[in-house]
Every structure is written in structure tokens, then in C-alpha cells.
Amino acid sequence: THQWRGIIEEYRDRLPVSDTTPVVTLREGGTPLVPAQVLSERTGCEVHLKVEGANPTGSFKDRGMTMAITRAKEEGARAVICASTGNTSASAAAYAVRAGMVSAVLVPQGKIALGKMGQALVHGAKILQVDGNFDDCLTLARALSENYPVALVNSVNPVRIEGQKTAAFEIVDMLGDAPDIHVLPVGNAGNITAYWKGYREYAADGVATGTPRMWGFQASGSAPIVRGEVVKDPSTIATAIRIGNPASWQFALAARDESGGLIDEVTDREILRAYRLLAAQEGVFVEPASAASVAGLLKAAEQGKVDPGQRIVCTVTGNGLKDPDWAVAGAPQPVTVPVDAATAAERLGLV
Ligand code: F0G
């Protein structure tokens, strides 16, 4: 029987590895591309969700991390470090375990979801909560990697982008060609950079007949690219994309401009509405930041920017279980019943 071997083995000829590279994998990638019925009806388009929460640590970061940790191991690193809003740290911690390495993670104090903190802790990462935001954490991680024996595994490390571009390959492999539009949330802007690279490579090699327009969405309180200036004190309930000075800013602009795309913002209210729609109407439970892609698509559709009949893929980047507070918040408390079928049936509205 065959199982998916992980992105490095599946796309080996398109990644910077050699026959002797020690592959560190949790068999990431190969994630579901799920047709989204309600979103398709609302937009008059054929909408698919690339469900990246199905990766081993519950986010798309695993695609980049298998590459980053593999290459760090090949180069003899004993320890890795990253700055993170939570998902990168969870992924780095897990892959470091596989590689027999020490992981150090820097997170903004009080601003990462509980599930992500739990992952870093249980995988044995050395965690520092920094009295600052993600951008401060990244500055610190860069300084440490330059001056101490520890390899940086943030997406400023180009092999992270190489790994993450495989999501675009999978989409084209599944659909038979590139979609018309690709929508995704933007934080540090590594992922939009990676998808654009993947789509361009497939088009250049004739695997796809063209490339999609790239549509990126930031949270309104953390939208430096939309505003055209650094946001000093970024805020949003979507903590994964609470970033005021994205490292891959220029690459995101290039993806937008070269693809004829757009980068816009969505409010926390729009994010939460899309989050609830995905769970309640599509059966897909994502974390709030992930819903920014869908919120953006719905906003664009309401503005008349989405011509019907197009094929659209929205990446939903992380699993809802990472940050369940938002699922519970505002929902009615379940009713308690005795062990009695008649009462239970009545409370369930079955009679
Ligand atoms: N969605 C989720 C769930 C994320 O965790 C991130 C980034 C993004 C979207 C945005 O992707 O940064 O490539 O533009 N999380 C990083 C982290 C910052 O530390 O986990 P991006």
C-alpha cells in the first residue's frame, strides 16, 4: 500500500536536496482540496479550500519546516531558532524532535493561542516569551542566529519558501491546471511569496498553462502592506497574522503586481463571520487567521470584484483546534440532562 511520502520525496526534483540529504519529515503535505459548496453558490464561482490544517502539526508551516530542518541537519546544526505567532514554533519544535535537535522559540508575550503554546511545550522547545510583538521576536531571533550557534528557521530562510511552494504544485496537480484566482491570508508574507514561486515554476515548465491572480488579505489592525507603512502596534484577534512589518513585504508586492492581483484588508468582524461560515456551513474548522482568505473573497464578491464562473482556491492555513476559544465564545452553553432518553429527546427537539 502507498501513503503520501511528504513533500520532499513527492517533489524531490523541484526542491534543493541531493541524494545524500538526510530528509526529516512527518509526511506533511498531500492536504485535502475540498470543494466549497456554499462559497461557490455565493460567488457564482467554483471555489475550493486547500485545507492546510490537515498537516502533521496542524498548519502549512510543516511544508517549509521539513525543508528548513532537513537542510539544518545536513549542515550539521544542533539547534534551531524561530520567532513565531505560534504555528512556526509548533512546527519547528516537532521537526526538531524528529531531527534530534534542540529548538528555541521566541513568541510575543500573551499573544499566542493556547494550542500552539501547548505544542511547543510538549515537543520540548525552549520557549521565551518576549515583551514585544512578533516583529521584535524576529529581530531578536535574527540577532541570535548571527551571533550564536543556532540556525534560523523563519521564512526569511529561503528553503522555507521552497518547501511551502509545494502547496501550489499540489493544487495544479489536483485541478489539472492553475486556478484563476488564489486567495490567502498574509502575515509575514512568506506564504504568498511561496505560492507565487510555485505557480510560476509550474507555468514556466508547461505543467500549468498560466498562473492565478494572487489575492492576499491582512487583518485591518495589522495591515502594513495595504497601508504602505509599518504598523508599530499591530492588533487583531487573528493572532497568527498580528504582524506590523512583514519580512517578505517586497515579495508580496511582487506577487500582487506580477499576477495582476490585490492585497487588501478584512476586519476582525469579517474574519469571525467567515470563520463561523466555514465551520457551520462548509464543515471545515480553521483558526481565525485562516478565515481571512475566505473573508477577503466574500468582501471582494460583495464589491463586485469577482466575475462568475472562475475557479478559485482559498488556502485555509491552520487547524481550528489550535485556538478553540473563538469557537466557544458567544456560543450557547450546552444543556445538562439526566440519564433519561425522554428528557434528552425532548431537549434535542426530537419530539
Ligand atoms: N495563517 C496562519 C495560521 C499562520 O500561522 C500564518 C503565519 C499565516 C496565515 C500568514 O502566513 O506569515 O507566511 O504570511 N504564521 C507565522 C507563525 C507568522 O509564526 O506561525 P505568512
Side-chain angles (χ1 to χ4, degrees):
T1 61
H2 298 286
Q3 78 158 316
W4 179 264
R5 295 168 297 169
I7 59 129
I8 294 180
E9 292 305 342
E10 297 291 340
Y11 293 107
R12 179 173 267 283
D13 55 336
R14 294 181 177 276
L15 292 169
V17 290
S18 75
D19 291 347
T20 56
T21 303
V23 175
V24 181
T25 181
L26 288 163
R27 306 213 175 211
E28 58 294 311
T31 55
L33 187 65
V34 178
Q37 269 184 333
V38 172
L39 293 173
S40 296
E41 278 162 27
R42 287 234 187 145
T43 56
C45 290
E46 178 191 320
V47 182
H48 301 261
L49 301 169
K50 183 64 169 161
V51 183
E52 290 291 277
N55 275 297
T57 78
S59 86
F60 70 96
K61 303 290 180 179
D62 295 343
R63 296 179 184 275
M65 206 53 70
T66 183
M67 273 305 310
I69 301 285
T70 291
R71 286 289 294 272
K73 188 165 178 76
E74 186 169 34
E75 285 155 18
R78 310 271 290 276
V80 294
I81 192 167
C82 66
S84 184
T85 55
N87 281 323
T88 299
S89 50
S91 187
Y95 283 80
V97 167
R98 298 291 293 188
M101 286 182 200
V102 172
S103 64
V105 307
L106 307 178
V107 298
Q109 203 250 323
K111 297 293 182 186
I112 89 164
L114 182 62
K116 302 173 188 179
M117 180 63 93
Q119 289 180 284
L121 286 167
V122 82
H123 290 307
K126 294 187 179 181
I127 306 172
L128 294 179
Q129 300 205 69
V130 176
D131 183 13
N133 59 37
F134 169 83
D135 308 290
D136 301 315
C137 293
L138 186 53
T139 301
L140 196 50
R142 284 192 208 248
L144 289 165
S145 71
E146 280 160 19
N147 297 308
Y148 299 89
V150 62
L152 187 65
V153 295
N154 278 107
S155 59
V156 293
N157 176 338
V159 302
R160 277 275 313 275
I161 302 298
E162 292 297 311
Q164 285 172 211
K165 76 184 179 184
T166 59
F169 296 163
E170 289 176 20
I171 289 163
V172 175
D173 289 346
M174 292 299 297
L175 295 178
D177 205 343
D180 298 306
I181 300 173
H182 191 108
V183 193
L184 72 179
V186 172
N188 211 26
N191 213 27
I192 191 169
T193 302
Y195 272 86
W196 181 233
K197 185 163 199 287
Y199 280 125
R200 270 183 305 148
E201 286 183 13
Y202 256 20
D205 292 349
V207 184
T209 59
T211 53
R213 278 175 286 153
M214 302 299 295
W215 285 10
F217 290 93
Q218 303 194 289
S220 289
S222 308
I225 300 177
V226 179
R227 300 288 149 76
E229 60 185 21
V230 171
V231 175
K232 286 248 161 52
D233 191 11
S235 73
T236 169
I237 58 105
T239 53
I241 52 172
R242 185 176 164 270
I243 294 175
N245 188 11
S248 296
W249 189 323
Q250 295 308 321
F251 295 123
L253 291 179
R256 179 194 69 186
D257 297 341
E258 291 167 22
S259 74
L262 63 85
I263 296 181
D264 197 2
E265 62 188 280
V266 284
T267 64
D268 282 0
R269 184 184 288 266
E270 288 168 328
I271 288 172
L272 284 174
R273 211 167 42 151
Y275 167 86
R276 296 203 182 282
L277 181 151
L278 281 169
Q281 298 192 56
E282 298 286 4
V284 177
F285 185 27
V286 305
E287 64 169 288
S290 306
S293 57
V294 171
L297 174 63
L298 291 172
K299 178 182 172 181
E302 279 158 24
Q303 292 172 333
K305 289 184 189 166
V306 183
D307 292 335
Q310 299 186 89
R311 199 179 236 186
I312 301 175
V313 175
C314 293
T315 298
V316 283
T317 45
N319 196 299
L321 294 170
K322 286 178 172 269
D323 192 4
D325 287 357
W326 291 103
V328 180
Q333 183 80 6
V335 175
T336 303
V337 294
V339 188
D340 176 64
T343 311
E346 192 226 317
R347 291 298 155 85
L348 289 170
L350 299 175
V351 286

